[in-house]
Amino acid sequence: MSTPINPNQPQQRQPQGAPSGPPQMQGAPTGRPGMQPLYAGGPGGGVLDSAAPTHARLPKRLGDAGKSTPIGFGQLLAVELRKLTDTRAGTWLMAITALLIVLASALVAYTERDGVKFFDLIGATLIPMNYLVPILGILAVTSEWSQRTGLITFTLEPRRGRVVLAKLAATLLAAVAATIVALAVAAGLTLLVGSLGSGDADWHMKGTAYATLFAYMLLQAGMGVAFGLLIQNTPGAICAFLFIPIVVSLFNLAGEWGQKAAEWVNPQQSMAPLIDGSVSGDQWGKLAVTLALWLVLPMVLGFVRLTKREVKSA
């Protein structure tokens, strides 16, 4: 018995040359040898995709052999050291620092050519280093956002604490290198002026002053990293680091109580004895309070902010 045709139901027209009969009876496309349909239709359906290789399979889950090797701290440190000179800002900052070290010490050596002092030349080199070395620490942190590399950095190394330690270590190494350059320039000019000038060169400097001088520059670099972590914006961090000490120094104009307060909170005053190695007595306590305010507190707050911040590519 044939099925009656409903005149109200639209009839499906088959294209010319298409095989007749129900779709279930139609043959699937053959394709190349060794190929089979990727998806087959159900009742009333047809083949949905072209042929695919019979050996095609979904990848298995990654096992122990697919685990990636963690990035070593030495590699992170090498990358951060390279970042300090990869940008124009970092390159020019380091070049200007070296140039100002030479110019400042040469100027002092010229004015004291009749009796040059090695310690005075070192003090001259510290004038540009006090400002430029901390800025280098700021750039080491804030460049992740100004150069838009933060997403790549924290994707390759999700443990942000290790990245911060690598940035801090790279900045401290740069501070050590700058201090060595300053000592070398001061020693060279002292020797040169002492041999050419009419007076004798004075090489006197306390043995402990060398160690405290390096400690002074390391602390300056660390404070730069701390401000970079806290503000995470290059212009803002630089302005804050340079402007806040000026405000704090105004305490000296507020009478006796202001001068006493400045000794505990002004880094320029409390850290000055480190330059000549004359820290003693209550100066260690003043230095500890200053470092807690200028180094430890912004470092901790900045690290917490960094761990909670959403890193974006732009």
Side-chain angles (χ1 to χ4, degrees):
M1 180 181 298
S2 61
T3 304
I5 300 177
N6 187 356
N8 296 324
Q9 182 179 0
Q11 299 298 316
Q12 209 171 18
R13 299 181 60 185
Q14 295 185 354
Q16 295 182 359
S20 59
Q24 296 87 338
M25 304 299 295
Q26 298 176 8
T30 57
R32 298 190 303 271
M35 310 288 282
Q36 65 180 10
L38 186 59
Y39 298 103
V47 177
L48 300 180
D49 201 353
S50 60
T54 56
H55 61 273
R57 295 290 186 272
L58 292 176
K60 296 181 179 180
R61 290 182 178 272
L62 294 177
D64 294 338
K67 290 183 178 179
S68 59
T69 304
I71 300 177
F73 185 78
Q75 186 175 1
L76 283 177
L77 179 58
V79 170
E80 294 302 330
L81 286 172
R82 183 177 179 181
K83 285 181 179 179
L84 291 178
T85 57
D86 266 356
T87 61
R88 293 181 180 177
T91 302
W92 279 104
L93 183 63
M94 298 182 71
I96 291 174
T97 302
L99 179 61
L100 290 179
I101 287 175
V102 175
L103 290 178
S105 56
L107 181 61
V108 174
Y110 178 77
T111 56
E112 298 182 358
R113 58 186 180 274
D114 294 334
V116 63
K117 296 181 180 180
F118 176 62
F119 181 76
D120 291 343
L121 295 184
I122 293 178
T125 62
L126 292 179
I127 296 176
M129 292 173 61
N130 284 337
Y131 298 98
L132 299 181
V133 170
I135 291 177
L136 187 65
I138 291 174
L139 291 177
V141 179
T142 58
S143 61
E144 298 292 351
W145 287 271
S146 62
Q147 303 297 327
R148 301 179 181 180
T149 59
L151 184 62
I152 299 175
T153 299
F154 297 116
T155 299
L156 295 176
E157 179 50 83
R159 295 169 291 184
R160 301 185 182 182
R162 299 181 78 241
V163 177
V164 173
L165 288 178
K167 292 180 179 297
L168 178 60
T171 305
L172 295 181
L173 288 177
V176 170
T179 307
I180 293 175
V181 171
L183 289 174
V185 171
L189 287 175
T190 303
L191 182 62
L192 178 63
V193 176
S195 60
L196 298 179
S198 58
D200 296 332
D202 184 2
W203 292 90
H204 176 71
M205 184 173 176
K206 293 181 180 179
T208 57
Y210 290 96
T212 55
L213 178 63
F214 277 95
Y216 175 83
M217 293 311 306
L218 291 176
L219 292 175
Q220 289 279 7
M223 287 191 292
V225 174
F227 270 75
L229 283 173
L230 180 63
I231 301 178
Q232 298 180 12
N233 176 270
T234 301
I238 293 176
C239 291
F241 185 82
L242 298 179
F243 179 73
I244 294 178
I246 297 176
V247 176
V248 174
S249 64
L250 296 178
F251 287 180
N252 293 312
L253 304 178
E256 184 178 356
W257 71 269
Q259 295 176 0
K260 291 182 178 180
E263 294 178 356
W264 293 85
V265 298
N266 189 352
Q268 296 178 353
Q269 293 181 227
S270 60
M271 294 177 63
L274 288 174
I275 299 176
D276 57 359
S278 60
V279 185
S280 61
D282 61 345
Q283 292 177 342
W284 286 109
K286 296 176 182 177
L287 179 61
V289 173
T290 301
L291 295 179
L293 294 175
W294 287 81
L295 178 62
V296 179
L297 183 61
M299 183 77 74
V300 172
L301 294 179
F303 181 75
V304 172
R305 185 188 178 194
L306 178 64
T307 55
K308 296 182 178 296
R309 178 175 180 177
E310 180 183 0
V311 181
K312 301 179 181 180
S313 59

